Amino acid sequence: MATSSVCVAPSIALREKISFLRNGSWIEMDSMMYANGLLLMAENGDFDSKKVLQLHIQPLWTVISGASAQPPKPCENTNLSVIELHEKRKKHFIAVPKATYSDWIAAVTKMPPKDTKEPIYKNTGCTLYRDRLVVHVWYFPLATSKTIPLAAIRKAYAPNVQFLAHKQWGMGVDFDVWWALDMSFSPTGKRVIVDTGTWPKIGFSPIRGSAGAADFLRVLHTALNESRGRS
């Protein structure tokens, strides 16, 4: 007896107007972001047209914030937040409404990874994978990285730390946190502290010289929840 297979279309995670950086100019597009990482964009909502732009996004993204990194042409609409997306070795910039920015981040980071070798966050201060966090330039004086298995992380947060407790590299005066290198850190910004239950705690800036703690923690907490759900 022959059996028939049913093809189930991937669900649409988001559908709304965004801006896409094409040939140096921001173009308003209607978009559909699927749960499997397929992003469709079309002008005037014409998704049946042959001009539909398709991107197969990898689970790697970088939030563009502050002066540390900017797309070739910043989006002039202050109600939009810019996200950098990776498709194989290509980079694409989209600008999404601030009201749904966190939904876009969640949609991108929840895409199924090919393997644990694919980073889900990468910036100047750290690289995050599905199973581990790598903090750049942590050990002094060798300037080597520190790798932390996600299973070992008890808590990760970005507190208001007293100025003297911070250090550009090494142990703060509170003798509680060892900070990774960040010579351009501003005391007005926030840095991330990771607690593994051992001394010292691990402190770092996801984006050196910039306040990228909140964006990074959203991705890290999603990865931690997924990792604990699989274990």
Side-chain angles (χ1 to χ4, degrees):
M1 179 178 177
T3 58
S4 59
S5 60
V6 178
C7 180
V8 180
S11 61
I12 297 177
L14 289 161
R15 181 169 185 170
E16 63 184 349
K17 285 187 178 295
I18 64 174
S19 291
F20 177 69
L21 187 62
R22 183 171 61 187
N23 298 327
S25 299
W26 288 99
I27 309 297
E28 187 175 84
M29 309 279 272
D30 289 280
S31 70
M32 289 193 294
M33 179 72 187
Y34 288 86
N36 66 352
L38 175 64
L39 174 60
L40 300 181
M41 291 180 286
E43 294 186 55
N44 303 317
D46 187 8
F47 287 97
D48 294 326
S49 168
K50 293 182 179 179
K51 296 182 179 180
V52 172
L53 179 61
Q54 297 187 33
L55 300 181
H56 295 272
I57 305 303
Q58 294 179 328
L60 170 62
W61 64 275
T62 305
V63 177
I64 306 302
S65 61
S68 60
Q70 286 291 340
K73 183 179 181 180
C75 186
E76 297 177 355
N77 190 335
T78 57
N79 293 320
L80 301 179
S81 295
V82 176
I83 298 176
E84 175 186 325
L85 299 173
H86 290 221
E87 182 189 33
K88 296 181 179 179
R89 295 186 179 181
K90 296 180 180 179
K91 294 182 180 180
H92 304 279
F93 294 96
I94 62 173
V96 304
K98 288 185 176 179
T100 56
Y101 168 77
S102 59
D103 296 329
W104 278 91
I105 297 303
V108 173
T109 57
K110 287 181 179 178
M111 289 187 299
K114 294 180 180 179
D115 53 51
T116 54
K117 295 180 181 179
E118 295 279 0
I120 57 176
Y121 180 96
K122 186 175 182 180
N123 223 307
T124 53
C126 66
T127 301
L128 177 64
Y129 299 86
R130 297 277 171 174
D131 62 344
R132 65 197 183 279
L133 168 65
V134 179
V135 177
H136 304 162
V137 196
W138 194 77
Y139 289 102
F140 179 88
L142 301 177
T144 51
S145 300
K146 181 175 181 63
T147 299
I148 311 156
L150 293 194
I153 296 177
R154 292 187 177 184
K155 185 168 60 173
Y157 52 101
N160 292 317
V161 181
Q162 293 182 357
F163 174 72
L164 291 177
H166 284 287
K167 195 166 185 178
Q168 293 177 326
W169 193 8
M171 185 70 71
V173 296
D174 59 359
F175 290 95
D176 188 44
V177 180
W178 182 281
W179 298 98
L181 175 69
D182 186 356
M183 302 301 289
S184 56
F185 172 73
S186 169
T188 60
K190 285 190 175 183
R191 302 168 86 182
V192 171
I193 294 177
V194 171
D195 184 358
T196 61
T198 60
W199 182 88
K201 296 183 179 70
I202 301 140
F204 62 97
S205 304
I207 306 175
R208 291 187 194 140
S210 178
D215 294 321
F216 167 76
L217 285 176
R218 290 190 190 99
V219 186
L220 176 60
H221 289 152
T222 298
L224 286 172
N225 291 334
E226 291 181 354
S227 175
R228 287 161 184 167
R230 291 193 299 264
S231 60

PDB file of all heavy atoms in Angstrom, residues 18 49 63 84 216:
ATOM      1  N   ILE A  18       9.869  46.661   6.498  1.00  0.00           N
ATOM      2  CA  ILE A  18      11.203  46.948   7.003  1.00  0.00           C
ATOM      3  C   ILE A  18      11.943  47.748   5.931  1.00  0.00           C
ATOM      4  O   ILE A  18      11.396  48.042   4.870  1.00  0.00           O
ATOM      5  CB  ILE A  18      11.984  45.656   7.331  1.00  0.00           C
ATOM      6  CG1 ILE A  18      12.224  44.842   6.046  1.00  0.00           C
ATOM      7  CG2 ILE A  18      11.251  44.827   8.370  1.00  0.00           C
ATOM      8  CD1 ILE A  18      13.124  43.632   6.264  1.00  0.00           C
ATOM      9  N   SER A  49       5.953  38.276  -7.455  1.00  0.00           N
ATOM     10  CA  SER A  49       6.820  38.805  -8.502  1.00  0.00           C
ATOM     11  C   SER A  49       8.136  38.037  -8.552  1.00  0.00           C
ATOM     12  O   SER A  49       8.585  37.446  -7.575  1.00  0.00           O
ATOM     13  CB  SER A  49       7.084  40.293  -8.259  1.00  0.00           C
ATOM     14  OG  SER A  49       8.115  40.766  -9.092  1.00  0.00           O
ATOM     15  N   VAL A  63      24.241  43.070  16.267  1.00  0.00           N
ATOM     16  CA  VAL A  63      23.505  44.319  16.378  1.00  0.00           C
ATOM     17  C   VAL A  63      24.457  45.477  16.143  1.00  0.00           C
ATOM     18  O   VAL A  63      25.543  45.516  16.701  1.00  0.00           O
ATOM     19  CB  VAL A  63      22.860  44.447  17.764  1.00  0.00           C
ATOM     20  CG1 VAL A  63      22.147  45.781  17.903  1.00  0.00           C
ATOM     21  CG2 VAL A  63      21.888  43.306  17.990  1.00  0.00           C
ATOM     22  N   GLU A  84      22.445  43.447  11.413  1.00  0.00           N
ATOM     23  CA  GLU A  84      23.302  42.877  10.378  1.00  0.00           C
ATOM     24  C   GLU A  84      23.036  41.383  10.308  1.00  0.00           C
ATOM     25  O   GLU A  84      23.129  40.673  11.307  1.00  0.00           O
ATOM     26  CB  GLU A  84      24.771  43.144  10.705  1.00  0.00           C
ATOM     27  CG  GLU A  84      25.747  42.490   9.736  1.00  0.00           C
ATOM     28  CD  GLU A  84      27.187  42.678  10.189  1.00  0.00           C
ATOM     29  OE1 GLU A  84      27.499  43.744  10.750  1.00  0.00           O
ATOM     30  OE2 GLU A  84      27.981  41.747  10.024  1.00  0.00           O
ATOM     31  N   PHE A 216      23.437  41.586  23.935  1.00  0.00           N
ATOM     32  CA  PHE A 216      24.114  40.299  24.064  1.00  0.00           C
ATOM     33  C   PHE A 216      23.382  39.387  25.039  1.00  0.00           C
ATOM     34  O   PHE A 216      23.221  38.184  24.796  1.00  0.00           O
ATOM     35  CB  PHE A 216      25.556  40.499  24.522  1.00  0.00           C
ATOM     36  CG  PHE A 216      26.215  39.228  24.968  1.00  0.00           C
ATOM     37  CD1 PHE A 216      26.655  38.289  24.042  1.00  0.00           C
ATOM     38  CD2 PHE A 216      26.378  38.937  26.320  1.00  0.00           C
ATOM     39  CE1 PHE A 216      27.243  37.102  24.449  1.00  0.00           C
ATOM     40  CE2 PHE A 216      26.965  37.769  26.738  1.00  0.00           C
ATOM     41  CZ  PHE A 216      27.402  36.840  25.803  1.00  0.00           C
TER      42      PHE A 216
END
